[in-house]
Amino acid sequence: MPNTFFRFKKFIVHQDRCAMKVGTDSVLLGAWANGGHHILDVGSGTGVISLMMAQRFPQATVEAVDIDEEACRQAVENVEASPFVHQVSIACCSIQELARTPHLRGSFDAVVSNPPFFDNALKTPDASRNMARHTDSLPFDQLFQSVRYLMAPTGEFSAIIPFDYKAKFLSEAALNGFVVSREYAVKTTPKKRAKRYLLAFRMPPAEEFDQQEVVLETMPGIRSEWYEMITRDFYL
């Protein structure tokens, strides 16, 4: 049975009422994504990425959205129990709804998302888990269309995607006018293939393209120097 909470150095994330628990993907994205003054977290779940971004960027305000009502309630509780309660707000709505709000157009200089990615895949009996993992409620094209509307022209959109969905994600990004500014292939250990990709997008022209291959563990149970460096302010 998964732990009902995950303890970080400066906050605790309770997760017993959330379909998606705190995992490596969310921690990687929260530790890697570039921030700004006004950050949007799409599909916030427990609120872990929002809290990590608030800790890393203390002058920022973070707005988070999720369509799972129970996850939103738990994320609100996690935020209220944290030192970042005045920075982070949680709204139970979709990014598509947010993108229909005229005054929010171009208002976020950083957007982060650990998005649902399964497309036409076998579903589980757990409706909340399906919603968090399958693209029915947030297809890639609608995600990029909404981000384009909400993100400032000089902003950056960061996401984490499994390796086998990378090509489709990049294709939708290009169709919506984005260019890749950073691409990190993440391997669990040096001898394994990359299983996930950290990707960041900007509107053209992107000044630089930062492409790297990184490793989480030099050997099982031993964090790599890179992984240790980006998570040292969070993991106990």
Side-chain angles (χ1 to χ4, degrees):
M1 181 177 178
N3 286 339
T4 60
F5 66 92
F6 197 103
R7 187 182 298 274
F8 293 89
K9 284 184 177 179
K10 294 189 177 181
F11 57 88
I12 298 174
V13 175
H14 291 274
Q15 55 185 2
D16 55 295
R17 304 200 309 274
C18 291
M20 296 304 294
K21 312 305 181 186
V22 174
T24 302
D25 286 4
S26 55
V27 172
L28 275 171
L29 184 61
W32 180 83
N34 285 328
H37 295 292
H38 198 190
I39 301 170
L40 174 64
D41 177 11
V42 182
S44 56
T46 61
V48 61
I49 295 173
S50 294
L51 290 166
M52 292 179 73
M53 296 298 284
Q55 179 178 325
R56 291 177 58 216
F57 303 98
Q59 303 307 313
T61 57
V62 183
E63 293 190 36
V65 295
D66 201 297
I67 59 173
D68 185 322
E69 293 184 4
E70 199 60 38
C72 288
R73 281 191 282 269
Q74 186 145 61
V76 168
E77 293 170 7
N78 287 331
V79 169
E80 289 179 346
S82 79
F84 312 109
V85 61
H86 299 298
Q87 283 179 260
V88 180
S89 61
I90 309 290
C92 194
C93 71
S94 68
I95 187 176
Q96 295 97 320
E97 290 176 71
L98 213 64
R100 292 193 289 269
T101 308
H103 75 272
L104 290 178
R105 182 166 194 162
S107 62
F108 296 95
D109 49 2
V111 182
V112 295
S113 183
N114 181 7
F117 51 82
F118 284 141
D119 188 14
N120 297 319
L122 185 65
K123 295 182 178 179
T124 73
D126 188 332
S128 293
R129 189 168 177 84
N130 289 332
M131 188 162 51
R133 292 169 64 88
H134 292 257
T135 60
D136 300 34
S137 58
L138 186 57
F140 289 164
D141 59 341
Q142 292 184 25
L143 172 61
F144 279 104
Q145 289 163 17
S146 300
V147 170
R148 179 164 184 172
Y149 183 90
L150 293 164
M151 194 174 76
T154 57
E156 186 170 85
F157 170 41
S158 302
I160 186 163
I161 287 290
F163 74 99
D164 45 348
Y165 288 87
K166 176 195 169 195
K168 183 173 182 179
F169 203 69
L170 292 178
S171 176
E172 289 295 348
L175 287 171
N176 284 279
F178 290 87
V179 294
V180 185
S181 53
R182 295 196 293 158
E183 179 182 305
Y184 281 35
V186 183
K187 301 168 70 172
T188 306
T189 59
K191 293 184 178 180
K192 291 186 177 180
R193 295 176 59 184
K195 290 294 183 69
R196 51 175 72 85
Y197 280 83
L198 288 160
L199 300 168
F201 302 90
R202 290 183 175 272
M203 301 306 296
E207 297 178 0
E208 298 178 353
F209 177 46
D210 177 13
Q211 186 176 36
Q212 296 187 36
E213 184 177 88
V214 294
V215 176
L216 299 184
E217 297 181 341
T218 53
M219 60 182 66
I222 306 298
R223 291 177 195 153
S224 69
E225 184 178 350
W226 176 81
Y227 192 32
E228 183 72 32
M229 178 188 69
I230 69 166
T231 59
R232 63 188 173 194
D233 290 334
F234 300 102
Y235 282 148
L236 293 170

